Amino acid sequence: DGGITQSPKYLFRKEGQNVTLSCEQNLNHDAMYWYRQDPGQGLRLIYYSQIVNDFQKGDIAEGYSVSREKKESFPLTVTSAQKNPTAFYLCASSITRAWTEAFFGQGTRLTVV
Amino acid sequence: AQKVTQAQTEISVVEKEDVTLDCVYETRDTTYYLFWYKQPPSGELVFLIRRNSFDEQNEISGRYSWNFQKSTSSFNFTITASQVVDSAVYFCALSRDNYGQNFVFGPGTRLSVLP
């Protein structure tokens, strides 16, 4: 089945550690996105990529980094510089035709302990 | 700057009641798209509908209907004869730019349908 796979579903991290969230898609989509979801705040864009080896900062990129070495993969690293990393992280993808809907993964819930 | 407001944080209804979820948006773009997504407890967002700024016709899909009014910058979503499976968080979203490749989301409305 085509879709977006995020792993792990739950992740615990100690303060001061970097952690990488995985996102893989087999939809052959060129565009991929990372969103952060906090209670009552909706989704906020962290980074997005419209093509391999290229990505752009979103609204809240500070403390995060990404790479896009393969079309299928868009991993997100939450660095120790991120002040409040505990959140629900959603990865999405879409074709690059304007105004098409995005397809989402099931998310990773990151908790800093 | 674009903004989406969903004033209803949480709504509870009893099964078979009709419920309307409000969405008000702000944009200076003349061409834009609006979306509704559903987030069930499993976590992923599920696309429900896309509407462009030039099409103000109401849309009906089964028990779901959408009312787009540019005059009031609103794109409201009505569920008729609600069911327990409709319980979820619903997000309204607005295309961010002319290329439309990323979006501004509202804060979401949590709908609980009680049996």
Side-chain angles (χ1 to χ4, degrees):
Chain A
D1 276 38
I4 300 176
T5 302
Q6 289 187 243
S7 61
K9 193 171 177 67
Y10 298 96
L11 189 57
F12 295 88
R13 185 196 95 175
K14 291 184 179 179
E15 278 195 43
Q17 288 181 340
N18 292 355
V19 63
T20 298
L21 282 58
S22 170
C23 177
E24 303 277 332
Q25 54 100 356
N26 61 3
L27 299 168
N28 200 34
H29 287 167
D30 283 309
M32 296 187 75
Y33 316 80
W34 274 105
Y35 288 92
R36 170 179 170 141
Q37 183 178 6
D38 295 284
Q41 292 195 45
L43 279 68
R44 292 181 291 168
L45 182 67
I46 305 173
Y47 269 98
Y48 65 102
S49 167
Q50 293 175 332
I51 197 169
V52 173
N53 293 323
D54 185 53
F55 46 83
Q56 308 295 328
K57 291 182 179 181
D59 300 314
I60 56 166
E62 186 176 348
Y64 299 98
S65 66
V66 294
S67 63
R68 187 85 187 278
E69 297 176 2
K70 297 187 300 182
K71 187 176 183 178
E72 308 80 41
S73 178
F74 191 40
L76 173 74
T77 297
V78 184
T79 75
S80 56
Q82 169 49 233
K83 296 284 186 281
N84 185 21
T86 295
F88 188 56
Y89 292 88
L90 282 158
C91 178
S93 71
S94 72
I95 62 175
T96 48
R97 193 177 69 202
W99 300 303
T100 53
E101 69 274 19
F103 292 79
F104 285 80
Q106 292 199 335
T108 293
R109 187 166 299 280
L110 173 64
T111 303
V112 174
V113 297
Chain B
Q2 289 89 348
K3 183 180 178 182
V4 175
T5 301
Q6 295 179 257
Q8 304 149 308
T9 305
E10 296 191 32
I11 301 175
S12 289
V13 298
V14 177
E15 208 171 14
K16 298 184 183 177
E17 286 185 359
D18 298 348
V19 58
T20 295
L21 309 181
D22 298 333
C23 172
V24 174
Y25 63 92
E26 297 175 26
T27 182
R28 293 182 179 177
D29 295 338
T30 53
T31 302
Y32 54 88
Y33 270 73
L34 294 158
F35 300 76
W36 275 95
Y37 284 88
K38 174 182 179 179
Q39 185 179 40
S42 53
E44 81 281 13
L45 270 71
V46 177
F47 166 74
L48 296 177
I49 191 172
R50 171 182 57 240
R51 172 66 71 218
N52 75 56
S53 51
F54 298 107
D55 183 0
E56 290 195 67
Q57 283 191 337
N58 290 338
E59 174 109 4
I60 298 175
S61 176
R63 297 184 297 106
Y64 295 170
S65 62
W66 291 268
N67 184 318
F68 176 34
Q69 292 193 339
K70 284 181 75 171
S71 60
T72 56
S73 297
S74 65
F75 186 42
N76 297 337
F77 172 31
T78 297
I79 302 174
T80 302
S82 59
Q83 300 176 0
V84 173
V85 294
D86 296 327
S87 297
V89 180
Y90 291 86
F91 291 97
C92 181
L94 169 67
S95 56
R96 182 187 292 268
D97 51 39
N98 286 339
Y99 191 71
Q101 275 300 298
N102 58 69
F103 314 96
V104 175
F105 283 83
T109 296
R110 180 176 298 277
L111 174 65
S112 298
V113 181
L114 308 174

